[in-house]
Amino acid sequence: MELSSADFQDLLNKNDLCKGLFDSSPEAIVITAPDGYVVASNLKARELLGYLDGASLPQNILETYCNPAERCQLLSKLSEHGSVAGLELDLRHKNGSTINSRINVSVVSINEQSLFITTLTDITKLRASEVALRKSEEKFSNIFEASPDAILLLDKDSRIFDCNKKAIQVFGSSKEELLENTFLNFSPQCQPDGQNSRELVLSNISLVLSGTQLYFPWKQQLKDGTLLDCEVSFRPIKIGNEILVLCIICDYTERFRAQKKIELDEIRFEALYNLSKMRDKTSSEILEFVLEAAVLITESDIGYIYFVNEDETELTLHAWSRNVMPQCAVVEYPVVYKVENTGLWGEAVRLRRPTITNDYANCSEKRGMPEGHVPVIRHMNIPLFDNDRIVILAGVGNKSSDYTQEDVNQLTLLMEGMWQILRRKKADEALLHSYEELESKVLKRTEELTAAYENLKLNNEQIQREVKQRMVVEKKLQENANRFDLATRAGGIGVWERHLVSKKSIWDARMREIYNIGLDEGELSDDLWQSRVHPDDLFEAEREIQSAIERSGHFDSEFRIVWPNGEIRYIKASALVSYDESGKPQSMSGINIDITESKRMEEGLRRYEQIISTTPDLFSLVNSECKYVMVNDAYLNGFGRARESFIGSHIGDVIGWENFKKRSEPMIKAAFKGETVGYKVWMEIPIMGRRFMSVTYQPIDSLAGEERFVAINGHDLTALKIAEKDRQHIFEVSIDMLCVADFNDSFIELNPAWSTTLGWSTEELKQHKLSGLVHPEDKGRTLEIKKRLFSGESVHHFENRYQYKDGSWKWLSWNCIADLVRKQVVAVVRDVTMQKKMMEELKTLANTDSLTGANNRRFFIEKAKLEFERFKRYGGTICMIMMDIDDFKNINDTYGHDAGDVVLKELVRCCRETLRTTDIFGRVGGEEFAAVLVHGDINTAKLIAERLRRKLKKMEVEINGKVIRFTVSIGLACLSEKDNPSDNDYSLEGILKQADRCLYKAKQEGKDRVVWKL
């Protein structure tokens, strides 16, 4: 007789206990006939399959199968084993979605009819989490293997337990070779600072195993024997019950190389700066200083400097480095060499380019060295050009590593700075020689004037002897007075006479004009004259007048006067003293000339001549006929012509008539009209070659004022132009993001790296504010950084997130400095998104067991400590589970370690499904696991532990067609707020030990059981 649903309900209704268990079971239960007819289902089953609206399940359970063939597999297993446990299949929800489920089926007989009692578990989320877990494990493994740094796992004796691909690449050995060796087997005996590598590593490992993290510089020896500049970090990591050392080796070769270049640049800049202050030193001192700097910058042992003659056929030795002479045992060596007779070191002159020989011993071009010469291992030299002629041959040798183009550049820059100083020194010496010649001429002129003055004294004495004859010729003198007055007025000369006895003075009209004294200012007197003389010059002027009266009889002086309006004028005064027969002074007669304009022009011309004689600019002076009147030395050197070939020549004959008509003539005409004009242009100059010049045309008056000139100044901007182009090139090709922004948060200039990194075009970025693309969570920190910048601080390695064009975020690292004068910010920005991501993922990897994905022992203990502190603070109960797989070694021995790994993974999966999300679970040993149970009591903990044991016992792990079953032993220990805090077990370590002892007891009592202690 077939049992119907109603019949089954009657049976249940007759047994209250069975009915209660069936209806309230937390498991979904469906009872069917062997043909699939649904006899009964509980509320949990209808909820699982979506039949909660009063509708019953389909009449035949087969209608809920996504794949009906799976029903046949189920029936086959039932026929073979009598029950089915843990079978996974896909069921169809009422809404059509798929439910991943795990079922257990047992067969019972009621009223002589077989029924299938099926329990259903929804494992849809579990499967999704397993997929995610596998992807996460693959991801972490890829990060570990893709790390740019070599990573090793070491024990206390530096034996290598594991390594990544980068470590295999760095050490040049297979993974098997690495795992058979220690870290010390791949280390040099000593580090560069003299420390013993073995002692250093083992002492650091000892410190790390006690809980310390260490970072230290390291020279790593590669398989070919070369040493690699590194930074090594040691940190402790617990694997199972053993604490190992995680060793990360960062290759800093490129960073050290860049740092070394910066240090060499600083040395060169310091040398050039010191060189610029050596103008008063001798040429030998300059050469010796530069040579020692060259040896230092190129990291060489020896160096030399030779001067090259004009036809480049001879080399003259001017300096050897200090290190050479103590090592050199050559008795006699020539100072002058013929280029054609030189060997390898003369190639730079013959080839007219730098030469590098890093294997001197095997070089075929060398011709040998004299006996006692310093041994040469490596050699480099450069020819230095002045225009197109080689003037210096400089070389260095015996660097510990190979010479490179960078060494050539450093040596060339230093020698160019030296040559400019030597050229300037030569120019200064020529100027000094000219000055000495001028002094000689002035001295000669002074002697002539002194002789003239003596003659004047003789004439004055003659005049005094002839005073008696004055009355005779007075009339005639009066007749000539009018003519003299006309002459003095025409020459701007003021005539005066002072009667020394009566103290009265007579001035002509020109004298009143010179002193700016009107006719209405009263009688002329000494006081009035003194009021006009400049206070600083009055004492000296009166002293000279008194000296003339008392001794010389002749007054000749220059002094300044001050007009009532404050204007200062320069006066040249000359006078003679008249004496009576007894030799008493009677009167002084003299002249005054206003030389103000002449003085001003002389001063201006003196300054102007001093400037143009020393300036490196090309300076010339042309007259109204466009002919040269004057050119400076730089002009002569630039055109390679003698001064005589310029003076009187038309400018068009020198620069070319087409160029003159097109550029110079319009500019000269504008300058003669009083304008200062100019232009910038590339031009060919015979000796200097193609140069970018700034040419200025300026009007100049002559000293006398009767003729005007135009000064033409050519300033060489080539180096500035090239530097500007180089800077722009660096700005364009830099992989770092470079920008200039104003204080209003707007971009002024930015390089293409911004578009490459963030996806925005340059125009789009300039339309945004800098802070407009900052992540909302980072805007507060970014604003604080801006305040620091605007106060004058520089910012280094500030990190925030910036929006990519597709809406994602990039981590950027900022180095900024503010120009408070121009109100601009200059920034160098680097994309560090990948580094940040790798650090986060490495952090997760460090907390996770790499095989199972469970928390590793270190992270489990950290989280357990936090939970234990919470328990001590708030009370309640805390329970600790220690679990171990029974006879796990047999599984490894029977099925292999790969199968053992799969068992461990499946155990972790099952534990995660069984334990609550608030529980803390981790792998603390090889096959040993632990869990902290929170938010429950001892009874809940026992139920969870027992449920976990049963589920693991029922679980089947299928490997290559073979099914593996296993059991676990569980130790459980609990603490409650009622326990005595002074008890030895009232601690995390205590409860762990209690759980471990319970686990040991479970093993002793026969395994596959839970043992607990309250």
Side-chain angles (χ1 to χ4, degrees):
M1 175 181 175
E2 187 178 54
L3 187 68
S4 67
S5 297
D7 295 334
F8 186 80
Q9 286 297 327
D10 289 339
L11 289 173
L12 284 177
N13 291 334
K14 292 177 181 179
N15 190 326
D16 292 337
L17 178 60
C18 290
K19 179 175 175 58
L21 290 173
F22 181 75
D23 290 336
S24 63
S25 173
E27 299 284 346
I29 304 174
V30 179
I31 301 176
T32 64
D35 62 357
Y37 173 79
V38 178
V39 175
S41 62
N42 67 352
L43 179 63
K44 195 67 176 180
R46 293 192 293 277
E47 178 185 349
L48 176 64
L49 296 171
Y51 293 87
L52 289 176
D53 53 0
S56 301
L57 292 179
Q59 288 187 353
N60 197 303
I61 196 64
L62 190 60
E63 296 179 30
T64 64
Y65 278 58
C66 292
N67 182 7
E70 293 180 342
R71 178 70 177 176
C72 298
Q73 297 176 13
L74 172 63
L75 294 175
S76 175
K77 288 180 178 290
L78 279 173
S79 174
E80 181 181 354
H81 302 289
S83 65
V84 173
L87 178 64
E88 294 184 1
L89 49 80
D90 295 335
L91 300 178
R92 184 178 295 107
H93 194 274
K94 184 182 178 182
N95 61 13
S97 62
T98 299
I99 303 170
N100 304 128
S101 62
R102 181 183 294 117
I103 68 173
N104 298 305
V105 183
S106 58
V107 181
V108 298
S109 179
I110 299 178
N111 295 337
E112 299 181 352
Q113 181 179 342
S114 295
L115 293 178
F116 294 171
I117 300 177
T118 306
T119 59
L120 308 175
T121 302
D122 185 356
I123 61 171
T124 305
K125 292 182 179 178
L126 178 60
R127 281 193 179 177
S129 65
E130 286 177 346
V131 172
L133 179 60
R134 284 194 296 271
K135 289 182 179 179
S136 176
E137 289 175 346
E138 293 173 0
K139 187 177 184 181
F140 293 148
S141 178
N142 290 338
I143 291 172
F144 178 76
E145 291 299 333
S147 172
D149 298 325
I151 303 177
L152 304 173
L153 203 59
L154 312 176
D155 69 359
K156 62 183 180 61
D157 298 318
S158 85
R159 185 165 59 90
I160 300 172
F161 270 57
D162 200 2
C163 63
N164 65 351
K165 290 180 180 179
K166 183 64 177 180
I168 295 171
Q169 177 186 340
V170 168
F171 289 95
S173 300
S174 66
K175 187 167 185 175
E176 291 73 17
E177 290 176 316
L178 287 175
L179 298 182
E180 292 174 356
N181 282 280
T182 66
F183 178 68
L184 289 171
N185 292 142
F186 298 94
S187 304
Q189 185 175 359
C190 290
Q191 293 296 305
D193 59 359
Q195 291 190 79
N196 183 279
S197 298
R198 178 180 181 83
E199 294 176 359
L200 176 63
V201 169
L202 294 180
S203 64
N204 284 346
I205 287 178
S206 178
L207 290 174
V208 168
L209 292 178
S210 65
T212 305
Q213 293 188 15
L214 293 176
Y215 298 84
F216 54 92
W218 183 256
K219 284 282 189 178
Q220 182 60 48
Q221 182 172 325
L222 303 185
K223 194 170 184 179
D224 60 2
T226 60
L227 296 180
L228 190 69
D229 289 311
C230 303
E231 182 184 77
V232 172
S233 68
F234 279 177
R235 62 190 66 186
I237 181 170
K238 192 160 188 178
I239 306 296
N241 294 322
E242 186 176 5
I243 300 177
L244 300 177
V245 175
L246 182 66
C247 170
I248 301 176
I249 305 172
C250 299
D251 181 2
Y252 279 179
T253 304
E254 290 301 322
R255 188 182 78 174
F256 288 162
R257 186 177 291 117
Q259 183 177 352
K260 190 66 177 178
K261 183 178 183 303
I262 292 172
E263 292 174 355
L264 292 177
D265 284 341
E266 290 176 349
I267 293 172
R268 176 170 57 82
F269 292 148
E270 181 181 0
L272 290 174
Y273 173 76
N274 292 331
L275 183 61
S276 67
K277 300 192 299 183
M278 295 182 67
R279 291 179 57 184
D280 56 343
K281 301 292 184 181
T282 65
S283 297
S284 297
E285 290 174 321
I286 293 173
L287 286 165
E288 182 179 349
F289 171 84
V290 169
L291 186 54
E292 294 306 318
V295 170
L296 180 62
I297 290 172
T298 59
E299 301 179 283
S300 302
D301 281 342
I302 59 175
Y304 59 83
I305 296 177
Y306 281 83
F307 278 20
V308 184
N309 66 347
E310 289 194 6
D311 61 2
E312 300 179 8
T313 60
E314 289 185 350
L315 306 173
T316 303
L317 176 64
H318 275 261
W320 272 104
S321 60
R322 295 192 191 105
N323 287 346
V324 172
M325 302 317 294
Q327 303 176 51
C328 185
V330 177
V331 178
E332 292 185 7
Y333 54 86
V335 175
V336 179
Y337 288 86
K338 292 289 185 181
V339 173
E340 61 185 11
N341 295 332
T342 60
L344 179 64
W345 65 284
E347 284 294 286
V349 177
R350 291 189 286 270
L351 298 176
R352 301 181 71 76
R353 61 175 173 77
T355 62
I356 295 176
T357 306
N358 285 320
D359 186 5
Y360 191 87
N362 297 318
C363 181
S364 59
E365 287 83 2
K366 69 178 188 296
R367 299 184 182 179
M369 296 178 291
E371 183 179 353
H373 194 280
V374 178
V376 178
I377 301 170
R378 296 179 182 85
H379 175 263
M380 177 195 78
N381 61 358
I382 60 121
L384 183 66
F385 290 86
D386 187 349
N387 296 320
D388 195 37
R389 185 174 75 82
I390 298 176
V391 293
I392 283 177
L393 176 65
V396 291
N398 291 355
K399 182 181 178 182
S400 60
S401 57
D402 285 353
Y403 287 105
T404 65
Q405 183 60 39
E406 180 63 25
D407 294 313
V408 171
N409 297 341
Q410 295 283 4
L411 184 58
T412 301
L413 289 171
L414 188 62
M415 291 301 158
E416 285 178 349
M418 178 197 73
W419 181 245
Q420 293 300 323
I421 292 294
L422 292 177
R423 288 185 58 185
R424 178 64 61 83
K425 185 175 181 62
K426 184 177 180 181
D428 289 346
E429 290 173 351
L431 181 63
L432 178 62
H433 179 69
S434 299
Y435 176 77
E436 290 173 348
E437 288 185 347
L438 181 61
E439 282 289 314
S440 176
K441 292 179 180 179
V442 169
L443 182 61
K444 183 178 179 182
R445 182 59 177 164
T446 302
E447 291 174 351
E448 292 175 351
L449 289 175
T450 302
Y453 173 70
E454 293 298 326
N455 290 334
L456 185 60
K457 283 181 65 177
L458 294 174
N459 291 338
N460 186 46
E461 293 172 357
Q462 180 66 26
I463 290 172
Q464 290 180 8
R465 288 193 296 268
E466 294 176 356
V467 166
K468 294 180 181 181
Q469 301 176 12
R470 182 173 180 179
M471 298 299 297
V472 178
V473 298
E474 185 174 346
K475 183 177 181 180
K476 189 173 182 179
L477 290 174
Q478 186 62 44
E479 293 174 355
N480 294 329
N482 293 333
R483 290 194 294 272
F484 179 72
D485 183 57
L486 289 175
T488 55
R489 284 180 177 276
I493 300 172
V495 181
W496 59 274
E497 184 174 359
R498 180 187 181 199
H499 295 281
L500 301 177
V501 178
S502 63
K503 305 296 184 180
K504 291 184 178 181
S505 299
I506 301 172
W507 288 10
D508 68 356
R510 178 55 184 162
M511 278 291 291
R512 287 181 176 272
E513 290 176 7
I514 291 172
Y515 282 82
N516 198 5
I517 296 176
L519 296 174
D520 58 346
E521 290 192 49
E523 183 178 354
L524 296 171
S525 64
D526 291 347
D527 292 341
L528 183 59
W529 176 79
Q530 290 170 353
S531 69
R532 286 289 195 269
V533 178
H534 194 287
D536 293 344
D537 298 349
L538 179 60
F539 176 79
E540 184 64 21
E542 287 186 328
R543 187 189 67 78
E544 290 179 350
I545 291 173
Q546 192 62 34
S547 176
I549 292 173
E550 294 176 356
R551 289 187 294 275
S552 66
H554 179 264
F555 171 67
D556 193 356
S557 179
E558 291 183 8
F559 53 85
R560 292 168 293 172
I561 63 172
V562 184
W563 283 2
N565 63 3
E567 183 179 350
I568 297 175
R569 311 292 291 181
Y570 287 85
I571 304 300
K572 181 174 179 58
S574 296
L576 294 174
V577 180
S578 298
Y579 300 87
D580 60 14
E581 293 179 351
S582 63
K584 292 182 178 180
Q586 298 296 309
S587 65
M588 291 184 70
S589 301
I591 61 174
N592 278 189
I593 303 174
D594 188 341
I595 59 171
T596 304
E597 295 305 320
S598 176
K599 274 284 187 181
R600 290 173 180 172
M601 293 193 71
E602 283 180 0
E603 183 63 26
L605 184 59
R606 189 179 299 110
R607 290 196 301 270
Y608 197 65
E609 286 178 346
Q610 185 177 8
I611 292 170
I612 65 175
S613 65
T614 59
T615 181
D617 292 351
L618 277 63
F619 182 87
S620 62
L621 204 65
V622 298
N623 59 18
S624 58
E625 297 178 355
C626 297
K627 293 183 178 181
Y628 287 104
V629 176
M630 187 271 287
V631 291
N632 70 347
D633 291 346
Y635 207 95
L636 300 177
N637 295 333
F639 284 87
R641 298 173 56 171
R643 195 181 306 275
E644 294 75 15
S645 65
F646 283 101
I647 306 304
S649 298
H650 195 283
I651 190 171
D653 294 332
V654 176
I655 67 172
W657 285 96
E658 181 180 354
N659 191 24
F660 170 74
K661 290 291 184 182
K662 181 180 179 180
R663 288 195 178 90
S664 294
E665 188 175 35
M667 295 292 173
I668 292 173
K669 288 181 178 179
F672 273 119
K673 291 179 181 179
E675 301 177 37
T676 297
V677 292
Y679 54 81
K680 295 178 181 178
V681 67
W682 283 98
M683 62 174 59
E684 288 289 340
I685 300 176
I687 302 302
M688 298 170 67
R690 182 171 173 77
R691 313 300 289 178
F692 187 74
M693 304 294 291
S694 171
V695 186
T696 306
Y697 296 77
Q698 184 175 358
I700 298 292
D701 291 327
S702 70
L703 186 62
E706 71 277 0
E707 187 176 3
R708 302 183 69 202
F709 304 95
V710 170
I712 307 174
N713 187 75
H715 184 59
D716 188 355
L717 299 178
T718 308
L720 184 62
K721 188 75 172 177
I722 293 173
E724 181 181 349
K725 183 178 180 181
D726 290 344
R727 185 199 71 84
Q728 188 62 31
H729 179 67
I730 293 171
F731 188 80
E732 293 293 335
V733 302
S734 173
I735 61 174
D736 284 334
M737 302 153 67
L738 311 178
C739 72
V740 181
D742 59 25
F743 279 15
N744 294 323
D745 216 21
S746 298
F747 285 109
I748 298 174
E749 187 177 6
L750 65 164
N751 70 339
W754 281 85
S755 297
T756 303
T757 304
L758 297 177
W760 304 92
S761 67
T762 300
E763 292 72 22
E764 289 171 331
L765 285 167
K766 286 187 175 180
Q767 291 172 3
H768 282 91
K769 295 289 186 182
L770 266 79
S771 57
L773 297 175
V774 175
H775 194 285
E777 296 177 2
D778 298 340
K779 285 193 174 182
R781 294 188 304 110
T782 304
L783 182 60
E784 289 300 318
I785 287 297
K786 286 174 60 178
K787 291 179 180 179
R788 287 170 50 191
L789 269 175
F790 295 167
S791 67
E793 290 186 45
S794 59
V795 173
H796 301 284
H797 306 301
F798 169 69
E799 294 181 352
N800 63 3
R801 286 164 286 183
Y802 230 61
Q803 189 175 24
Y804 193 75
K805 190 172 183 180
D806 64 4
S808 61
W809 299 94
K810 295 269 192 178
W811 276 99
L812 303 182
S813 176
W814 297 74
N815 292 279
C816 314
I817 189 169
D819 186 337
L820 301 182
V821 177
R822 300 170 65 184
K823 294 189 180 301
Q824 292 181 353
V825 176
V826 179
V828 179
V829 189
R830 180 167 293 178
D831 181 3
V832 295
T833 307
M834 185 58 70
Q835 293 92 315
K836 296 285 284 188
K837 186 176 181 182
M838 286 179 65
M839 289 302 296
E840 289 298 323
E841 292 176 341
L842 284 173
K843 181 179 178 182
T844 303
L845 187 62
N847 296 335
T848 307
D849 177 51
S850 60
L851 174 63
T852 65
N855 292 327
N856 60 22
R857 180 180 180 88
R858 181 191 60 78
F859 195 54
F860 171 78
I861 295 298
E862 283 184 7
K863 296 181 73 174
K865 285 181 178 177
L866 293 175
E867 187 57 35
F868 191 80
E869 291 300 318
R870 184 202 63 75
F871 158 72
K872 290 198 299 183
R873 187 179 300 113
Y874 300 110
T877 302
I878 184 170
C879 298
M880 180 71 69
I881 284 178
M882 293 294 289
M883 180 175 62
D884 187 83
I885 300 175
D886 297 328
D887 302 316
F888 183 68
K889 184 176 184 300
N890 293 339
I891 296 176
N892 282 334
D893 294 343
T894 304
Y895 301 101
H897 288 278
D898 290 342
D901 290 347
V902 174
V903 168
L904 292 173
K905 293 178 183 178
E906 288 299 304
L907 179 143
V908 170
R909 178 183 62 77
C910 182
C911 290
R912 283 178 169 170
E913 291 174 0
T914 306
L915 294 173
R916 299 163 299 180
T917 57
T918 55
D919 296 333
I920 302 168
F921 177 72
R923 183 184 182 192
V924 295
E927 62 271 17
E928 191 174 6
F929 298 84
V932 177
L933 307 181
V934 297
H935 305 308
D937 54 18
I938 181 60
N939 293 323
T940 302
K942 287 192 285 186
L943 287 174
I944 292 173
E946 187 59 37
R947 182 168 69 243
L948 183 60
R949 183 194 66 78
R950 291 197 304 268
K951 292 190 72 171
L952 291 172
K953 183 174 182 179
K954 292 178 181 180
M955 188 170 66
E956 295 179 348
V957 180
E958 187 172 345
I959 304 285
N960 299 325
K962 296 179 181 179
V963 176
I964 302 174
R965 296 182 179 87
F966 62 93
T967 61
V968 297
S969 297
I970 297 176
L972 173 63
C974 295
L975 284 177
S976 73
E977 57 188 351
K978 297 178 181 179
D979 292 321
N980 185 2
S982 62
D983 195 311
N984 291 335
D985 290 336
Y986 197 84
S987 64
L988 179 63
E989 293 77 10
I991 194 172
L992 277 169
K993 289 178 180 178
Q994 284 288 349
D996 198 47
R997 285 195 287 266
C998 290
L999 171 62
Y1000 181 72
K1001 187 175 181 182
K1003 293 282 189 180
Q1004 286 182 324
E1005 292 179 356
K1007 307 176 183 177
D1008 187 22
R1009 66 193 64 226
V1010 177
V1011 174
W1012 63 85
K1013 181 182 185 302
L1014 302 183

